[in-house]
């Protein structure tokens, strides 16, 4: 390690990377020292933003290999798009194996890859160079989720028995960048984009703090997908106008709603259920995250839009469209909830603090690439279940080679209604 502090380089310079940079304000013992993006201007902009936040003297790099080779970089945060994940990891591993540089850790944003085949390659590549790993799932680190889980297990489950039902949802009006909407690039639609959060959150909630998630094993998966809004002709036209002509939901739609039920077998032989749903067709103030955990004599609930701060703007208040009140903000007038510190509320601060400490050797990782691989297996099983219209045993045979119809451009919403 180059010093007593961790030097971190980011692959990716977009919306997700900037959330991490905001969260880094609360991270100790680490500095953001580099940004790489295939778009040089974006890399320069993100590096300038990091310097503005005073989270490190970040600079843009011309290549991933150049960043890995710099002795100032001890760890990499992978925050780039899904379709570039495998290529980015291959370049990191090649740089390390060819002796250009060394790393102490690699943290990867969700999902680990677009399908199980790619995720297995990412897992094997990083395992090959023997660095520490972190799977970046911010909602697990949300203070409401972590505090509620600890209290319910510590008080309710300790006296009346383990929880048996967990629910989680993530809903908003749709992603920011065009590649998210394109199944072949993103790997699917809203199920692949956001169910990775909710599917892991329900399992995490049902797992006793301090225990391995292997104590709560997925056994059966039932899922449904639908295009409720964005394949309607008027909204498909609106989407193409916003995102470009390559996003055409009259010809190549992705699902904008998904629901999932996972039946788990616990280590004490009982059954627990996880219910999850995700949506790009939610109309409300903005991004809504929610979770519940229920047991014999207790329950918890969380809704990110139940904030302690609300603002009201009358029709006379004229302002630009933005997201200064909440992520994916849908209005600028009326009674509006405000999430005052989104990086904290959504778990980015605690997540980044944790993995910095992991890579410095101060903690054991809560989530690794193995967990990320398991999540992708659940997602692909969910796509299979939705395509076949039935409950599937987990994991189904051949899941390593499965690619969803949505990702292949072969899915049509009418098929789901047939």
């Amino acid at each position: 390690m180059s010093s007593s502090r961790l030097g971190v380089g980011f692959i990716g310079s977009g919306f997700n990377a900037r959330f991490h940079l905001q969260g880094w304000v609360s991270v100790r013992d680490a500095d953001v020292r580099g940004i790489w993006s295939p778009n040089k201007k974006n890399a320069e902009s993100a590096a300038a933003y990091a310097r503005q936040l005073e989270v490190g003297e970040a600079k843009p790099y011309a290549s991933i290999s150049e960043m890995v080779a710099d002795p100032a970089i001890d760890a990499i945060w992978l925050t780039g798009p899904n379709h570039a994940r495998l290529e980015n990891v291959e370049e990191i591993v090649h740089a390390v194996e060819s002796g250009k540089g060394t790393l102490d850790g690699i943290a990867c944003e969700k999902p680990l890859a677009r399908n199980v085949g790619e995720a297995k390659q990412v897992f094997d590549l990083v395992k090959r160079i023997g660095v520490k790993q972190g799977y970046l799932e911010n909602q697990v680190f949300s203070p409401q989720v972590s505090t509620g889980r600890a209290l319910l297990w510590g008080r309710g489950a300790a006296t009346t028995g383990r929880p048996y039902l967990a629910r989680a949802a993530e809903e908003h009006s749709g992603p920011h960048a065009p590649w998210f909407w394109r199944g072949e690039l993103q790997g699917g639609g809203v199920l692949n984009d956001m169910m990775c959060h909710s599917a892991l959150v329900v399992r995490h909630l049902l797992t006793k703090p301090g225990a391995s998630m292997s104590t709560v094993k997925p056994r059966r998966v039932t899922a449904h997908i639908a295009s409720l809004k964005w394949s309607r002709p008027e909204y498909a036209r609106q989407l193409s106008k916003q995102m470009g002509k390559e996003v055409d939901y009259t010809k190549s739609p992705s699902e904008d709603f998904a629901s999932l039920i996972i039946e788990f077998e616990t280590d004490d032989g009982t059954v627990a259920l996880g219910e999850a749903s995700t949506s790009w067709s939610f109309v409300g103030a903005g991004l809504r995250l929610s979770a519940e955990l229920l047991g014999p004599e207790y329950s918890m609930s969380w809704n990110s839009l139940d904030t302690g701060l609300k603002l009201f703007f009358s029709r006379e208040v004229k302002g630009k469209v933005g997201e200064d009140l909440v992520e994916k903000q849908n209005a600028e007038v009326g009674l509006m909830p405000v999430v005052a510190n989104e990086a904290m509320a959504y778990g980015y601060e605690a997540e980044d603090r944790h993995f910095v400490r992991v890579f410095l050797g101060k903690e054991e990782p809560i989530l690794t690439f193995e967990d990320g691989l398991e999540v992708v297996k659940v997602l692909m099983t969910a796509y299979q279940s939705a395509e076949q219209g039935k409950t599937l045993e987990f994991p189904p045979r051949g899941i390593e080679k499965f690619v969803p119809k949505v990702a292949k451009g072969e899915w049509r919403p009418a098929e789901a209604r047939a």
Side-chain angles (χ1 to χ4, degrees), residues 203-251:
R203 189 177 184 185
H204 176 70
L205 287 170
L206 291 166
T207 302
K208 184 178 181 179
S212 167
M213 276 198 289
S214 64
T215 59
V216 181
K217 292 185 171 69
R219 291 305 187 199
R220 289 157 59 85
V221 171
T222 309
H224 300 272
I225 62 174
S227 183
L228 300 178
K229 176 179 180 178
W230 293 107
S231 60
R232 293 187 179 190
E234 65 271 32
Y235 288 106
R237 288 192 296 270
Q238 178 183 319
L239 186 60
S240 289
K241 186 176 180 180
Q242 292 174 342
M243 297 292 165
K245 62 183 180 180
E246 292 184 341
V247 179
D248 186 350
Y249 269 36
T250 64
K251 296 178 180 178

Side-chain angles (χ1 to χ4, degrees), residues 26-298:
S26 295
V27 174
R28 298 182 178 183
D29 302 327
D31 301 302
V32 179
R33 294 177 180 161
I35 308 282
W36 176 84
S37 168
N39 185 310
K40 182 180 178 182
K41 288 185 178 180
N42 289 349
E44 291 172 346
S45 174
Y49 185 52
R51 295 193 301 272
Q52 176 189 333
L53 292 172
E54 298 183 345
V55 296
E57 289 300 314
K59 66 177 184 179
Y61 285 83
S63 70
I64 293 173
S65 294
E66 181 185 85
M67 187 160 64
V68 173
D70 190 338
I73 301 297
D74 306 305
I76 297 291
W77 256 239
L78 280 159
T79 67
N82 297 4
H83 56 276
R85 180 81 77 238
L86 181 56
E87 178 184 344
N88 293 162
V89 172
E90 286 174 337
E91 186 170 350
I92 292 171
V93 172
H94 180 264
V96 172
E97 290 186 330
S98 62
K100 292 180 180 177
T102 61
L103 292 172
D104 295 298
I106 300 174
C108 182
E109 259 296 341
K110 62 80 192 171
L112 195 63
R114 293 180 292 184
N115 52 61
V116 178
E118 287 186 0
K120 186 65 167 57
Q121 290 183 70
V122 168
F123 176 83
D124 289 340
L125 282 165
V126 173
K127 185 178 179 181
R128 202 167 77 195
I129 58 174
V131 299
K132 294 175 182 177
Q133 312 160 8
Y135 178 58
L136 295 169
E137 172 41 66
N138 56 285
Q139 290 180 32
V140 163
F141 292 89
S142 165
Q144 291 85 351
V145 170
S146 58
T147 301
R149 173 178 178 252
L151 288 171
L152 254 63
W153 274 94
R155 294 172 67 89
T159 55
T160 66
R162 66 172 303 118
Y164 42 63
L165 176 61
R167 297 188 177 107
E170 180 172 9
E171 305 159 292
H172 59 60
S173 57
H176 291 86
W179 69 267
F180 280 99
W181 297 89
R182 295 175 58 186
E184 80 279 12
L185 296 181
Q186 197 254 101
V190 72
L191 193 156
N192 208 47
D193 177 38
M194 301 199 317
M195 191 66 81
C196 45
H197 289 297
S198 304
L200 184 56
V201 167
V202 294
R203 189 177 184 185
H204 176 70
L205 287 170
L206 291 166
T207 302
K208 184 178 181 179
S212 167
M213 276 198 289
S214 64
T215 59
V216 181
K217 292 185 171 69
R219 291 305 187 199
R220 289 157 59 85
V221 171
T222 309
H224 300 272
I225 62 174
S227 183
L228 300 178
K229 176 179 180 178
W230 293 107
S231 60
R232 293 187 179 190
E234 65 271 32
Y235 288 106
R237 288 192 296 270
Q238 178 183 319
L239 186 60
S240 289
K241 186 176 180 180
Q242 292 174 342
M243 297 292 165
K245 62 183 180 180
E246 292 184 341
V247 179
D248 186 350
Y249 269 36
T250 64
K251 296 178 180 178
S252 299
S254 297
E255 78 281 356
D256 60 20
F257 176 83
S259 65
L260 172 67
I261 296 178
I262 309 172
E263 182 178 315
F264 295 101
E265 180 183 338
T266 69
D267 59 345
D268 58 8
T270 61
V271 172
L273 294 180
E275 295 182 355
S277 65
T278 51
S279 176
W280 287 344
S281 50
F282 172 71
V283 179
L287 169 68
R288 180 171 70 179
L289 307 177
S290 59
E292 296 182 356
L293 183 62
L294 294 86
E297 300 291 342
Y298 53 86

